[in-house]
Amino acid sequence: MTDPEPSGVRMPDSTVEADLAGYRREGLIDPPATRDTEPHDGSGRVEMTFLPAERSVRVPPGVTVFDGASWNGIAIDSTCGGHGTCKKCKVQILSGAVPVGRLDARAFTPDQLRDGWRLACIAQATQNLRVHVPPLVTRPKAATVGVGRQVILRPAVQKRYVELDEPTLSDQRTDLARLTDAIDDLELQADLHALRRLPKVLREADYKVTAVVVDEMLIDVEAGDTTARQFGIAFDLGTTTVVATLLDLTTGTPVAVRSMLNRQQPFGGDVITRISATMMDPTALDRLGTAAHETLAELSAEVCAEGEVDPAEVYEIALAGNATMTALALGIDPEPLGVAPFVMTCATPPVVLASALGVSVHPGARAALFPALGAYVGGDIVAGILATGMDRDKRLRLFIDVGTNCEIVLGDGERILSTAAPAGPAFEGGAIRCGMRAAEGAIEVVKLGEDVELGVIGDTTPMGICGSGLVDVVAELVKIGLVDGTGRFVQDNEAKAAAPALADRLTMIGKERVFVLYRPDPTADPADSVYLSQRDIRELQFAKAAIATGWSLLLEEFGVEPRDVQQVLLAGSFGSYLSPAAAVRIGLVPRLPVLRIVSAGNVAGEGAKMALLSLRERAGAAALLEEVRYVELSDRSDFNDKFVDQLSFPT
Ligand code: FES
């Protein structure tokens, strides 16, 4: 296979028009049905197969070959970032038709066009395509982020080093024109900060400068060649924990990661209490906004210090948060999110400067905030869908972000459904007698055999039980027969028969039956021990039934059985630490081989990193608003029956 000349063939406009007319007559512009086409299968998606890698991706009709390749981690040459100006993104359509576009006629000879050569960034797939991708001439870098996702680096931030001619009496172009003329593949505009710096920096640096551009906006000009220094910060703005990752945008690699508790904690542990705070106290909205900004500011200062990066070298931030966290950070009243019919002020937040979120980085740095699918399926879940490739992977996959509000997504790369299930605070340790957050001293792993084996965070004296410990202990108690399928502690005689070594740990504290996990010493008052009560088991049952009802209704809506699920992704700060075997045993996830249940990690943070590293991924997140269908559970007439069915433990 002979690749076309790297430079292509440039033709004058009149020739282009004449050739376009000719191509139209030949059927290259409006391809006839008899051409070697592969129509899509009615699923609403078309398939692009890239050679020689033989990798396929299913995309909505109209997606460009360039995007389809990018989404699949296939690198296509480009220096303009898909803007149609560099003409380096040459590919050959081997089967399926793509009409000749005006830019194609400028980039290729007539013979090349007849052989199927097209510019990938304008070639839209309206039917299945097989596409030959030539080896790279200019190799773009890619980074692996998310759950095994390869993302081709194409950040909104780009730096261009230029050496300009000094002005003369015969060349009195403005400073800005002198700079933008040298970067003619971008339609540059300049912000005021850049204009204020431009005259001084140009002259002090002998007209050898680096232009700092974000989305075609010149935000700064720096002396000399600073192209190697480009950074961004990805934030996962969680209700409980906030994580910041400083990324080197030239390589896609993380430079520093820090996390801390959200400073909004004093207003309440979950979104509802924080929304309530704004309804009861007119100053709370401001104070919650300030607390969010302080959290982001502190983390950004920490990652910059750790990564030895000047905050002024951070030119963009990305932020994924649930709808309430995003609204509060923007100072938008969250009250409508907390009361039926649960309406968001906007699905797609505006582009704001990072400084509007309290983050002190480059003054021209912007903040890219994730859009939300609904009041309870927010930008953090959109980021999670992006990071896990739920919209592209052809396997039937179930994504569960376990928390007070549990978000559930089911998809097979063609259809995606989502819902939210109110699981309550049990998984965060709330409403559990000895419950606590996953912090030092929390029991997070429990094994019951001849004795009780505990895994404690920080390897210290147990102080309480966190969510994963709660799921573990209940799963183990069901397994050894001390708790029956209805969630009830068995009678003493049954306990002695089922687990003689542990039966005496079943005891009474006050009027409540409990299972003692840890007692400081045998003489200590049982009330000072760490234990699991009958009521705690009930709380867990309600929480897991809410989640199981959510995924079972999504499966029903999808028309598939639980056994059809090929992978379950457990996400979120709690879900990621959950034991797959325990999750199966209590019925929190479908009854599947444990190898099909995987921890997805902090997918919201990964999605935020992807948005920073790739404009295409960011566009993919925006497209999810159209692709994901939200299923409201609360108005389902069968919700209560299903919920009751899910309360028991599988036996
Ligand atoms: Fe530059 Fe297509 S990517 S012209």
Side-chain angles (χ1 to χ4, degrees):
M1 189 161 305
T2 312
D3 297 339
E5 292 295 307
S7 58
V9 176
R10 181 135 190 173
M11 291 180 262
D13 277 355
S14 56
T15 313
V16 169
E17 291 305 331
D19 281 347
L20 281 171
Y23 300 141
R24 187 168 288 115
R25 282 195 296 278
E26 283 184 49
L28 282 167
I29 287 183
D30 303 308
T34 51
R35 195 172 149 78
D36 182 16
T37 60
E38 296 181 24
H40 69 84
D41 55 12
S43 62
R45 297 270 176 140
V46 293
E47 185 166 273
M48 293 183 203
T49 303
F50 297 99
L51 303 167
E54 268 293 354
R55 249 187 282 162
S56 298
V57 61
R58 292 178 68 76
V59 297
V63 167
T64 65
V65 169
F66 191 94
D67 285 350
S70 169
W71 293 351
N72 210 23
I74 304 266
I76 292 181
D77 253 328
S78 165
T79 52
C80 75
H83 291 293
T85 52
C86 72
K87 301 184 185 63
K88 293 196 183 304
C89 57
K90 293 169 179 170
V91 296
Q92 188 176 21
I93 310 298
L94 300 176
S95 72
V98 175
V100 172
R102 183 177 299 273
L103 290 171
D104 290 318
R106 288 169 174 266
F108 299 103
T109 65
D111 281 348
Q112 288 169 344
L113 291 169
R114 283 185 201 98
D115 284 346
W117 286 97
R118 300 287 185 273
L119 292 177
C121 69
I122 57 164
Q124 291 184 328
T126 54
Q127 55 188 261
N128 294 350
L129 300 176
R130 286 176 72 77
V131 183
H132 163 67
V133 180
L136 298 182
V137 178
T138 51
R139 179 170 288 275
K141 299 180 192 82
T144 303
V145 279
V147 181
R149 297 283 321 280
Q150 263 272 309
V151 171
I152 293 172
L153 296 182
R154 201 145 55 88
V157 175
Q158 49 178 312
K159 279 188 165 184
R160 299 289 184 88
Y161 173 65
V162 288
E163 297 186 1
L164 306 175
D165 293 332
E166 292 189 23
T168 62
L169 286 175
S170 60
D171 176 6
Q172 291 182 320
R173 283 176 297 161
T174 64
D175 287 345
L176 183 60
R178 195 169 301 279
L179 184 69
T180 55
D181 286 352
I183 309 173
D184 61 357
D185 60 319
L186 298 179
E187 300 272 326
L188 277 185
Q189 295 187 349
D191 73 10
L192 184 57
H193 173 81
L195 290 177
R196 284 177 175 159
R197 298 225 331 134
L198 188 57
K200 196 163 180 352
V201 175
L202 275 183
R203 284 159 185 85
E204 282 181 358
D206 290 333
Y207 291 83
K208 297 184 176 88
V209 295
T210 299
V212 185
V213 178
V214 182
D215 268 343
E216 306 215 324
M217 176 65 75
L218 180 73
I219 65 163
D220 209 343
V221 55
E222 297 171 345
D225 184 353
T226 64
T227 50
R229 306 283 297 174
Q230 306 177 39
F231 299 91
I233 302 176
F235 289 100
D236 165 18
L237 179 56
T239 311
T240 306
T241 307
V242 185
V243 185
T245 307
L246 176 68
L247 286 172
D248 182 332
L249 299 179
T250 66
T251 60
T253 47
V255 181
V257 184
R258 283 292 175 100
S259 68
M260 63 183 280
L261 282 180
N262 190 328
R263 283 179 182 251
Q264 294 175 339
Q265 287 294 322
F267 293 85
D270 55 46
V271 294
I272 294 297
T273 49
R274 290 188 207 167
I275 294 170
S276 305
T278 65
M279 292 159 72
M280 288 155 60
D281 175 356
T283 68
L285 178 58
D286 270 358
R287 287 160 56 218
L288 278 158
T290 303
H293 297 175
E294 286 173 358
T295 312
L296 298 173
E298 188 170 333
L299 283 171
S300 80
E302 282 183 10
V303 289
C304 286
E306 187 184 325
E308 296 179 356
V309 166
D310 182 340
E313 294 175 307
V314 174
Y315 304 107
E316 191 174 40
I317 67 170
L319 187 143
N322 63 45
T324 305
M325 288 305 105
T326 303
L328 290 173
L330 289 170
I332 297 173
D333 182 1
E335 182 178 338
L337 299 170
V339 292
F342 312 111
V343 170
M344 295 186 288
T345 302
C346 62
T348 303
V351 175
V352 296
L353 288 175
S355 56
L357 299 175
V359 181
S360 296
V361 286
H362 188 282
R366 302 200 209 151
L369 287 88
F370 269 84
L373 295 164
Y376 289 95
V377 183
D380 51 345
I381 300 307
V382 173
I385 295 173
L386 198 66
T388 53
M390 287 289 291
D391 54 333
R392 291 154 212 194
D393 199 309
K394 291 178 187 166
R395 292 171 294 173
L396 181 67
R397 296 159 95 209
L398 179 64
F399 168 100
I400 306 177
D401 191 322
V402 188
T404 307
N405 175 57
C406 177
E407 295 94 350
I408 306 166
V409 182
L410 179 69
D412 65 358
E414 292 178 21
R415 274 189 302 156
I416 314 177
L417 302 180
S418 73
T419 194
F427 295 123
E428 306 271 358
I432 302 298
R433 290 254 192 264
C434 297
M436 65 179 285
R437 287 233 161 80
E440 189 166 307
I443 297 171
E444 59 170 351
V445 178
V446 180
K447 291 270 168 289
L448 301 181
E450 283 306 298
D451 203 350
V452 175
E453 265 182 67
L454 302 177
V456 181
I457 298 177
D459 274 333
T460 179
T461 306
M463 293 162 55
I465 316 169
C466 67
S468 59
L470 176 68
V471 172
D472 253 20
V473 64
V474 174
E476 289 285 289
L477 287 168
V478 171
K479 185 167 103 182
I480 65 172
L482 293 190
V483 167
D484 66 18
T486 69
R488 187 184 56 93
F489 280 127
V490 298
Q491 298 300 320
D492 285 348
N493 55 338
E494 295 172 78
K496 283 203 176 79
L502 300 177
D504 66 348
R505 285 179 179 257
L506 265 183
T507 182
M508 298 293 287
I509 293 182
K511 292 189 177 154
E512 201 168 28
R513 199 153 158 77
V514 303
F515 180 82
V516 175
L517 281 164
Y518 172 76
R519 190 183 275 187
D521 69 73
T523 59
D525 183 342
D528 293 335
S529 58
V530 179
Y531 59 87
L532 179 84
S533 74
Q534 182 64 68
R535 210 196 69 178
D536 297 337
I537 299 176
R538 296 292 180 224
E539 291 288 343
L540 179 68
Q541 282 178 282
F542 286 125
K544 79 102 183 172
I547 295 170
T549 306
W551 56 250
S552 63
L553 284 172
L554 281 194
L555 289 169
E556 203 176 289
E557 196 83 18
F558 217 87
V560 292
E561 296 293 326
R563 65 171 175 274
D564 297 329
V565 175
Q566 289 165 282
Q567 190 175 53
V568 178
L569 297 146
L570 291 171
S573 52
F574 166 65
S576 301
Y577 292 101
L578 200 54
S579 146
V584 171
R585 185 163 297 280
I586 69 161
L588 181 65
V589 299
R591 201 157 198 178
L592 296 167
V594 288
L595 285 178
R596 286 201 217 168
I597 297 156
V598 298
S599 162
N602 173 17
V603 287
E606 287 299 303
K609 283 157 68 176
M610 288 168 70
L612 260 191
L613 296 178
S614 164
L615 277 175
R616 295 289 148 177
E617 297 295 343
R618 204 178 294 182
L624 286 172
L625 296 195
E626 298 299 319
E627 292 174 20
V628 181
R629 182 162 74 81
Y630 180 73
V631 178
E632 180 60 57
L633 295 184
S634 57
D635 63 0
R636 297 265 316 213
S637 56
D638 54 351
F639 180 86
N640 278 346
D641 290 345
K642 302 257 181 211
F643 179 81
V644 171
D645 287 348
Q646 295 288 354
L647 280 170
S648 59
F649 296 120
T651 47

